[in-house]
């Protein structure tokens, strides 16, 4: 099968979150299954010739190769993509995001013909790529080259929909007949994700539980009705993890490599992390790690309420992430109050992330909702026990055999569960058994890639 993957961020070239991990790993897994795959993404400023092996295809298209022979095509535009950030800066989202990503989607479709790659499936990810199915079905279909190409849309987080003011609609070059309740209109605004849902042949999200949750009012962010209508075409496939990147046996960023047979190796990583974080070198109290966007979705509302009590427990806490300035301030205040307990890193730092996964004992991820979540999968691999709220992909991957789960979303339950995890940590025999079980969990991409192939086959029959 020939597959073109369209995503706005792809590891190793650009990343703000889990989407990039998936868009970087899925093509590799599909290639291993014998499929022919290309990837198309914007070329941001950080994707420099000096950092990657990049070749030129045409005036505005360059490419690099991943895996054995997967071409990742970069769409260049000085005007739209040659910027420091992907989606916005400290002032919020870039004002021209509609123009930027509609340009990307159109250019991606044009490119297929230029490179004479007629895919069976275009697999688009999140709202930034959602105009691909919209343009394909409503504009490009007139050209025979685009006949019979099917589309699969993966929703990584339905909370991000690409909402724009109605008066921007004319810039999309789409007929106004599509701006209605059966099309891209959403409460008098443009909703790009909704367009993707309507015009894709198959929709999926990144865990079975989340695929059901988004069809409810509580989790659907207003799109539950559209999803319900297409119910028969909505699926859930758990993300895999790229174990060539996330593996304590081979990880080059961590102080000491270790495996399930040498879990003692974690101690050196804990020491290293404590040193970096200027925390007291203590072996006997648990070190809790967080690598996350500082957002309500990630549980920071209940965490902010419980943090003072948590810091009074016998533990240490390292937080890496950026996000809502409100939570930056709350955590900064905690650092002032409990400098020997909490260490805060308000930045994006891949190296430190690896060190936190390896050096912590417990990984705190109390997300309010979680489409799949990669943090818990990574932490399991590193024998760092996840502590999660039972929702979405967290419910599908963490249970009492490999972690700590609470099922009522409140600061009290969070605090109780943290206390419980500390008690368990003190029982070394129990703890080591838990670490061993966690490290044995397997969320490799192989299985997920096979599931995606079934989905593509289904799309082809549409
Ligand atoms: P999201 O909803 O943000 O995509 P996921 O758990 O699916 O959450 O994926 C987050 C990914 O981004 C993980 O690989 C995590 O390690 C990484 N990450 C998040 N914040 C940071 C940060 N501040 N520095 C480095 N990596 C980060």
């Amino acid at each position: 099968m020939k597959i073109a993957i369209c995503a706005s961020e792809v590891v190793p070239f650009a990343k703000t979150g889990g989407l990039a991990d998936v868009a970087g790993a899925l093509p590799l897994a599909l290639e291993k299954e014998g499929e022919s795959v290309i990837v198309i993404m914007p070329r941001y400023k950080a994707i420099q010739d000096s950092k990657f092996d990049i070749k030129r295809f045409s005036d505005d298209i360059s490419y690099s190769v991943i895996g054995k022979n997967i071409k990742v095509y970069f769409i260049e535009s000085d005007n739209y993509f040659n910027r420091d950030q992907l989606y916005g800066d400290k002032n919020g989202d870039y004002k021209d995001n509609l123009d930027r990503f509609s340009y990307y989607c159109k250019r991606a479709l044009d490119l297929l013909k230029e490179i004479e790659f007629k895919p069976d499936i275009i697999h688009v990810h999140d709202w930034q790529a959602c105009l691909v199915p919209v343009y394909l079905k409503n504009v490009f279909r007139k050209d025979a080259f685009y006949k019979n190409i099917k589309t699969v849309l993966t929703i990584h987080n339905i909370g991000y929909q690409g909402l724009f003011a109605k008066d921007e609609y004319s810039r999309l070059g789409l007929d106004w007949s599509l701006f209605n309740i059966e099309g891209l209109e959403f409460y008098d605004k443009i909703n790009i994700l909704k367009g993707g849902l309507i015009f894709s042949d198959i929709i999926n999200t990144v865990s079975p539980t989340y695929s059901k949750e988004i069809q409810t009012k509580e989790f659907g962010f207003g799109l539950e009705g559209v999803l319900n209508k297409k119910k028969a075409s909505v699926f859930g496939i758990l993300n895999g993890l790229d174990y060539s990147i996330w593996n304590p046996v081979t990880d080059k960023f961590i102080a000491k490599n270790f495996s399930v047979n040498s879990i003692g190796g974690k101690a050196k990583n804990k020491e290293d992390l404590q040193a970096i974080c200027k925390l007291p070198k203590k072996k006997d109290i648990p070190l809790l790690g967080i690598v996350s966007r500082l957002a309500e979705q990630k549980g920071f509302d209940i965490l902010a309420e419980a943090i003072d009590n948590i810091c009074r427990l016998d533990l240490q806490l390292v937080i890496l992430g950026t996000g809502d300035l409100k939570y930056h301030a709350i955590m900064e205040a905690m650092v002032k109050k409990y400098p020997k307990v909490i260490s805060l890193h308000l930045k994006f730092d891949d190296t430190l992330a690896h060190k936190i996964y390896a050096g912590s004992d417990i990984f705190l991820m109390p997300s309010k909702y979680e489409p799949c979540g990669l943090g818990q999968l990574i932490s399991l691999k590193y024998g760092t026990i996840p502590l999660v709220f039972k929702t979405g992909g967290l419910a599908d991957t963490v249970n009492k055999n490999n972690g700590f789960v609470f099922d009522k979303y409140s600061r009290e339950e969070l605090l109780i569960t943290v206390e419980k995890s500390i008690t368990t940590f003190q029982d070394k025999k129990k703890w080591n058994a838990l670490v061993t079980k966690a490290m044995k969990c397997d969320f490799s991409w192989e299985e997920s890639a096979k599931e995606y192939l079934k989905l593509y086959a289904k799309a082809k029959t549409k």
Side-chain angles (χ1 to χ4, degrees):
M1 220 183 295
K2 288 167 85 176
I3 301 142
I5 291 179
C6 293
S8 57
E9 51 183 274
V10 180
V11 162
F13 305 105
K15 169 169 169 174
T16 69
L19 162 64
D21 291 299
V22 174
L26 176 62
L28 303 177
L30 292 170
E31 186 182 57
K32 280 195 187 133
E33 295 296 315
E35 311 301 331
S36 165
V37 190
I38 64 163
V39 181
I40 308 175
M41 68 177 292
R43 183 160 182 183
Y44 307 105
K45 197 174 185 175
I47 307 177
Q48 290 176 0
D49 289 328
S50 55
K51 276 203 250 160
F52 303 100
D53 184 14
I54 294 177
K55 298 186 173 64
R56 184 137 299 280
F57 174 74
S58 65
D59 281 352
D60 70 331
I61 303 289
S62 47
Y63 68 93
S64 191
V65 173
I66 59 171
K68 280 211 180 79
N69 192 24
I70 301 167
K71 283 193 173 134
V72 178
Y73 288 95
F74 302 109
I75 293 174
E76 300 178 353
S77 161
D78 256 351
N79 194 15
Y80 292 141
F81 303 126
N82 197 14
R83 303 181 189 179
D84 289 326
Q85 304 297 327
L86 274 58
Y87 311 124
D89 53 25
K90 59 179 185 338
N91 301 316
D93 288 346
Y94 290 134
K95 296 277 175 281
D96 56 352
N97 272 347
L98 185 77
D99 295 333
R100 297 173 75 225
F101 290 103
S102 59
Y103 177 78
Y104 159 65
C105 291
K106 264 189 253 166
R107 192 68 193 86
L109 283 163
D110 277 329
L111 180 65
L112 294 175
K113 197 170 169 185
E114 286 165 28
I115 59 175
E116 294 174 13
F117 186 90
K118 180 173 175 163
D120 298 286
I121 302 291
I122 306 178
H123 185 172
V124 304
H125 296 260
D126 277 356
W127 79 262
Q128 290 88 349
C130 270
L131 285 166
V132 167
V134 177
Y135 286 130
L136 179 69
K137 289 245 168 100
N138 296 288
V139 180
F140 282 73
R141 270 286 198 264
K142 292 174 194 121
D143 182 332
F145 177 85
Y146 296 92
K147 279 228 162 72
N148 302 322
I149 298 177
K150 303 296 178 188
T151 49
V152 172
L153 161 61
T154 298
I155 307 165
H156 294 261
N157 188 335
I158 204 161
Y160 299 87
Q161 303 182 350
L163 290 176
F164 298 93
K166 181 181 179 175
D167 57 19
E168 294 196 57
Y169 187 80
S170 53
R171 296 220 296 279
L172 289 173
L174 290 166
D175 200 281
W176 273 98
S177 64
L178 296 177
F179 190 78
N180 62 44
I181 194 152
E182 303 295 328
L184 279 75
E185 195 247 353
F186 185 74
Y187 300 100
D188 213 33
K189 283 190 163 163
I190 309 167
N191 186 322
I192 303 293
L193 184 65
K194 186 177 172 208
L197 295 178
I198 288 172
F199 290 106
S200 297
D201 296 297
I202 292 277
I203 299 159
N204 86 297
T205 185
V206 287
S207 69
T209 296
Y210 192 61
S211 75
K212 294 196 182 73
E213 287 173 344
I214 55 174
Q215 297 182 48
T216 67
K217 201 165 185 301
E218 192 186 347
F219 293 97
F221 282 89
L223 290 177
E224 59 278 5
V226 185
L227 284 161
N228 252 305
K229 266 197 188 154
K230 291 194 75 166
K231 200 184 202 117
S233 304
V234 180
F235 300 88
I237 299 177
L238 205 59
N239 283 335
L241 194 62
D242 186 343
Y243 288 132
S244 69
I245 297 175
W246 300 108
N247 187 346
V249 177
T250 52
D251 195 321
K252 291 194 178 65
F253 295 114
I254 65 177
K256 187 174 170 61
N257 292 115
F258 61 98
S259 74
V260 69
N261 299 317
S262 57
I263 55 173
K266 270 186 80 66
K268 186 88 196 136
N269 290 296
K270 184 169 176 177
E271 238 178 65
D272 177 52
L273 185 59
Q274 285 167 329
I276 291 168
C277 296
K278 301 189 175 64
L279 291 171
K281 280 198 182 171
K282 289 188 181 176
K283 277 189 201 146
D284 299 333
I285 59 169
L287 176 50
L288 277 63
I290 294 179
V291 180
S292 175
R293 287 181 286 115
L294 271 58
E296 191 179 314
Q297 183 224 322
K298 296 292 181 183
F300 272 78
D301 52 351
I302 55 170
L303 189 61
E305 289 170 6
I307 190 76
D308 206 304
N309 285 322
I310 289 177
C311 286
R312 277 183 240 161
L313 300 171
D314 211 9
L315 51 73
Q316 294 174 333
L317 175 63
V318 176
I319 303 177
L320 168 64
T322 56
D324 198 329
L325 297 182
K326 178 173 79 182
Y327 298 124
H328 285 208
I330 292 172
M331 296 307 161
E332 275 170 334
M334 284 299 120
V335 175
K336 282 211 179 94
K337 197 166 172 188
Y338 303 103
K340 289 193 175 145
V341 176
I342 173 167
S343 170
L344 180 65
H345 307 265
L346 297 171
K347 58 179 176 176
F348 194 94
D349 183 337
D350 201 32
T351 304
L352 184 56
H354 280 254
K355 287 177 179 292
I356 294 175
Y357 287 116
S360 307
D361 299 297
I362 295 163
F363 190 73
L364 212 50
M365 194 167 173
S367 305
K368 181 176 262 173
Y369 74 90
E370 192 57 79
C372 174
L374 293 175
Q376 86 281 17
L377 303 184
I378 301 170
S379 72
L380 283 167
K381 185 71 181 172
Y382 285 73
T384 300
I385 305 304
L387 188 161
V388 306
F389 174 58
K390 190 176 180 181
T391 184
L394 297 174
D396 290 338
T397 54
V398 184
N399 53 57
K400 63 179 182 346
N401 292 319
N402 62 4
F404 299 95
V405 185
F406 60 104
D407 59 8
K408 188 170 163 279
Y409 190 77
S410 69
R411 68 168 161 186
E412 291 82 10
E413 286 300 312
L414 171 62
L415 187 61
I416 289 169
T417 315
V418 170
E419 284 168 346
K420 204 166 120 191
S421 69
I422 298 176
T423 311
T424 312
F425 177 81
Q426 300 307 346
D427 183 337
K428 281 290 153 262
K429 210 169 150 209
K430 235 186 191 172
W431 192 260
N432 287 342
L434 194 58
V435 169
T436 304
K437 266 194 195 144
M439 289 184 77
K440 282 186 175 163
C441 293
D442 182 8
F443 293 102
S444 54
W445 262 106
E446 211 181 329
E447 280 312 304
S448 305
K450 286 191 179 119
E451 290 297 311
Y452 271 108
L453 287 175
K454 283 187 207 155
L455 220 55
Y456 298 157
K458 217 170 260 163
K460 280 181 74 173
T461 66
K462 294 274 176 176

